[in-house]
Each structure stands twice: as structure tokens, then as C-alpha cells.
């Protein structure tokens, strides 16, 4: 399993500082819905404390948790790719404090500072690859019973 990648610590210090200038501190109550699948993805968060579950609605009465995120984790990546809608829903599992970023402002900064933009895209891609690997392992465990060594 790969090591979890944290967006803010993965960026070089100068780029992290530029990104932090756009951060807004927010909080979500326990059991508070942060966003719904299909909604407009116009922001993202870096979790400071607490836990968030990503979920998928499988029937009109049932949601399945597909991932759990905690301190340092990136919440939301759909803002980076068309059609800019959430692929999953997100709910605060406990009280959550986070840095919130307006996607349009971050994208504008990425155009202004192409090195930051490239670092940001690469880091988000690494995060997604890591999460895909974790999900793959869970699926193998669930459906095969045991992962091959």
C-alpha cells in the first residue's frame, strides 16, 4: 500500500504559502452533509481535524461509504476536471475543521503561477492514484477474500 499523500505537505514551501493565502477556515458539524454527488464542484478543502466519509448513493434509501478522510487529507477533486460536478457525496463523520479553497481563485493562481499549477495537478493526481490503490485493495479483499502477495 502506498503512503497517504497530503496536499499541503507535498507542495514545495513557496507554493504552499501562496495556496494558503487563499485558504478560508471553515467547520462542519458532526453528521453535516458537505456536498452531494452531482452538485457543482466549485471548491475543495484540506481537512485540519475530524473525519469525513465519502459516500455513494446505491438506492434511494441506501448510501455506501467508499472512503474515509482525516487530518491533512484533500476533500474534493472534481473542481479540477470537467464537468465540475461531485462524483461522490461527503458527510462529516465527526466535527470537522478545514481549510476551504475557492476553485476559481486557485485555478486563476495556477494560471498566474504555472509551477504552482503543475505541482498542484501532479499532487492531486498522486492523491487520486493512492486512493485508487487503496480502493482496489478493499475490492480484492471483499470479492476475492485475500489479496495476492
Amino acid at each position: 500500500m502506498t503512503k497517504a499523500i497530503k496536499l499541503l505537505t507535498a507542495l514545495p514551501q513557496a507554493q504552499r504559502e501562496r495556496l494558503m493565502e487563499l485558504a478560508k477556515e471553515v467547520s462542519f458539524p458532526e453528521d453535516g452533509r458537505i456536498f452531494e454527488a452531482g452538485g457543482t464542484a466549485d471548491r475543495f478543502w484540506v481537512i485540519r481535524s475530524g473525519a469525513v466519509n465519502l459516500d455513494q448513493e446505491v438506492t434511494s434509501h441506501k448510501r455506501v461509504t467508499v472512503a474515509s478522510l482525516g487530518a491533512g487529507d484533500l476533500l474534493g477533486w472534481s473542481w479540477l476536471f470537467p464537468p465540475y460536478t461531485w462524483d461522490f457525496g461527503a458527510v462529516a463523520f465527526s466535527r470537522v475543521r478545514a481549510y476551504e479553497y475557492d476553485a476559481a481563485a486557485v485555478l486563476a493562481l495556477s494560471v498566474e503561477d504555472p509551477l504552482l499549477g503543475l505541482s498542484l495537478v501532479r499532487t492531486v493526481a498522486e492523491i487520486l492514484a493512492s486512493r485508487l490503490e487503496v480502493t482496489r485493495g478493499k475490492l480484492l479483499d471483499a470479492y476475492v477474500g485475500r489479496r495476492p502477495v
Side-chain angles (χ1 to χ4, degrees), residues 102-148:
D102 177 85
V106 172
L107 291 170
L109 180 61
S110 296
V111 169
E112 177 187 316
D113 182 347
L115 289 177
L116 181 132
L118 180 59
S119 292
L120 188 60
V121 169
R122 281 185 173 167
T123 303
V124 171
E126 287 181 48
I127 291 167
L128 293 176
S130 175
R131 289 186 187 168
L132 183 59
E133 184 177 323
V134 168
T135 301
R136 177 182 170 269
K138 287 179 182 179
L139 286 171
L140 284 172
D141 286 344
Y143 292 101
V144 177
R146 194 172 172 182
R147 282 189 263 180

Side-chain angles (χ1 to χ4, degrees), residues 27-77:
S27 63
F28 301 100
E30 182 177 351
D31 296 326
R33 181 130 308 260
I34 300 168
F35 56 82
E36 286 284 354
T40 301
D42 60 356
R43 63 197 67 244
F44 66 95
W45 301 263
V46 173
I47 300 168
R48 296 177 57 213
S49 65
V52 173
N53 287 338
L54 297 179
D55 59 24
Q56 182 70 54
E57 190 174 299
V58 291
T59 69
S60 60
H61 301 293
K62 183 175 179 170
R63 293 180 187 268
V64 174
T65 297
V66 295
S68 296
L69 307 175
D73 286 333
L74 170 68
L75 172 58
W77 52 266

